[in-house]
Amino acid sequence: MKNNLNKEQQKAVEHIDGPLLILAGAGTGKTATITHRLAYLVNLGIDPSSILTLTFTNKSAKEMRDRSFSLLDGSLTSSPLLCTFHKFGLLFLQLYIHKLDRQNNFVIIDKSDRTKILKNIDNSLPPSYVSSCISEFKNSGFLSNGENTLSHIKDYEKIISIYKKYEKLLIDDNLLDFDDLILLPFIIMNKFQDVRNEISSKYAYVMVDEFQDTNDLQLNLIKQICSNHNNICVVGDDDQSIYSWRGANIKNILDFDKHFKETKKIILNQNYRSSIEILDFANDIIASNSNRYPKHLKSNIGNKEKVDIIYSNNEHEEGMKIASIINKLRKDGSSMSNMAILFRVHAISRSIEEYLNKFNIPYKIIGGIKFYERAEIKDIIAYFRVIELQDDFSLKRIINVPKRGIGKRSVEKMEIASKKKNMKIFDFIVSSSDSELDEVIGARNRKSAKEFAENIHFLQDIAKSKIKSLSYELESSFSIRDYYESMQDSYNRLANIDEFYSYFSEYIEGDNHSLPSFLNDIALQGEQDNIEDEYLYLMSIHASKGLEFENVMVVGLENGVFPIIAEDVDIEEERRLAYVASTRAKHKLTFFSSQSRLYKGRGTILSPSLFLTKGEEMPFISKKTNNDFKIGDVAKHKVFGFGKVIEIKNENNKEKILINFGGNKRELLSAYVDKV
DNA sequence: TAGAAGCAGATTTTT
DNA sequence: TCTGCTTCTA
């Protein structure tokens, strides 16, 4: 097996039994190490199918699969399982969900489906808030009928009651949300020792990527899987833990040796990505954190390109500067995809876009609505699901799309009537006589419901006999194209649908690929944001994790923007974000900081981020008391200069003064203005 | 049932 | 300031 690993990486690769924690700093060859280890185990004669590797994203699962398979030169006798946590949960539940008296023809719902369901149950609390509470419950191992440690939550009683209704609805319709894909496997293994033993002996070697991002439930799941052997190898970087707000618990990696006794720890320090200058800066930032394993990244790449900090007076000046720098790089022949613009909050990208447009710089923003979250795609998927499963949830989505007169009330009536008969709505439509159905929804709606069911039956036959033409037949049976054609934004919608169809036909032509497996696969499929050469990419720092660019520009380095300053914000996590952003850069790193910015609809005066000033100056959260201004006093402001105080008022215990700066009147908090 | 008008809320979003 | 959602109106 060819390899050019360093000593520490090699040590990690050759560790076989017992818990191993690999602390891999940014750019230290984490993926190389994990994939080499996988190949190493296989080359020792260990059955590949007994090796389980878990990741968080489809993208990294694919990358690891490709890399480890290429190391193995096709010498595999069986396949190692290398997939996301959620995919593992899905595969598990297909085999074992019957233990909970549920069937394995479940449908996976996404976040917006869940919000919609919650809204229908009770709209008196914000559904998104309830949704995140439910996630929190599920991810801390809370069961709908069990105990919990979260009773301090606001509106607790009410949320629990919504939660119980929600769970009942999921069970009745055999739906699973994303959290269930982890929670239910945990519950099953926890309850049934035989299953736990079976799984643990099947997967005798377990690896987990990005371990710093695991939540409590995932850790517990891993413990179950490893209960027979403790052969657990995790890779991660506590300094890159930036998902605490999604339940990720940094303690999982910091206290790893408490969870798994006799852990061997290997630290990868040698960075192969960034220049010394960039690493010095990044090391310097992260060194201020106390919740971390002390470590210091090293690099042999010196290029004498300093880390730049560029200040601007406002966001326009900043946009202009960024666009001209990029334009110059482009003229010098640099590929657009070698550069990236990163920000903490999407809201500040607008002003930059304005100037990129002015300079004709082609760019793309990563983030926003994902392909599979688009309404038109979800509609088509719902049709496919009705064809395959006839589940109520999908049926309700499309029974009136395109409009066929079966409105909300009619659906409600059918739902009640079908529940009485313990049937799916679809089966109720099919099996009821005309007069029975007329009693529920009236003759006119009965006609279109029956017609709908006939069309679905026809498509079911197509799915069996010539599945390749399913999308074509779906189009013509339901005039779906006409429906979207009439909508605004029809061009994009139709293009999305076409893309979906072509993905479907590609998929279906593969080996052993059926409609059910297609539906399961796409349920967990995120968008593959492939970086294309001809575009400059703009993205949040979160979205940049795992990527690298020659030239990285980070904008909005101002207290209150980055770092965000608020009561519930963990400044250490903000610092980790600064660390992640910095370590994306290979050759050149530039920070932009503006003295004012139009933010949340207001022109705001801002001070340079404490990540740049090392915390020497933090007026945004300063305890400075109000100045004792009088009308007529001369005041000095760091940006607006000298002016005369013309009005003083007190609002919410804050002194505000109106100052005349040479004809320009501005109202400012007096704590930000000096008396002269 | 589409469009207007009014309103709150604005951090990140691997599955 | 802008967006997305709810409520109102024709």
Side-chain angles (χ1 to χ4, degrees), chain A residues 613-625:
Chain A
T613 60
K614 309 221 167 92
E616 283 157 20
E617 199 191 7
M618 285 173 58
F620 219 79
I621 51 171
S622 94
K623 295 276 187 293
K624 192 176 157 190
T625 50

Side-chain angles (χ1 to χ4, degrees), chain A residues 390-444:
Chain A
Q390 304 87 50
D391 63 291
D392 283 2
F393 183 76
S394 306
L395 181 119
K396 282 191 277 182
R397 183 177 179 103
I398 45 96
I399 192 156
N400 205 29
V401 174
K403 304 234 176 309
R404 48 180 78 89
I406 306 170
K408 221 162 113 187
R409 290 300 310 273
S410 302
V411 175
E412 270 169 28
K413 285 178 192 158
M414 284 196 289
E415 195 171 12
I416 293 163
S418 63
K419 285 250 159 80
K420 262 187 207 153
K421 290 192 167 185
N422 210 5
M423 275 178 159
K424 291 173 178 170
I425 297 174
F426 185 83
D427 295 335
F428 174 77
I429 295 170
V430 173
S431 65
S432 297
S433 68
D434 283 0
S435 55
E436 278 173 312
L437 207 47
D438 284 355
E439 272 180 43
V440 181
I441 54 174
R444 210 159 103 190

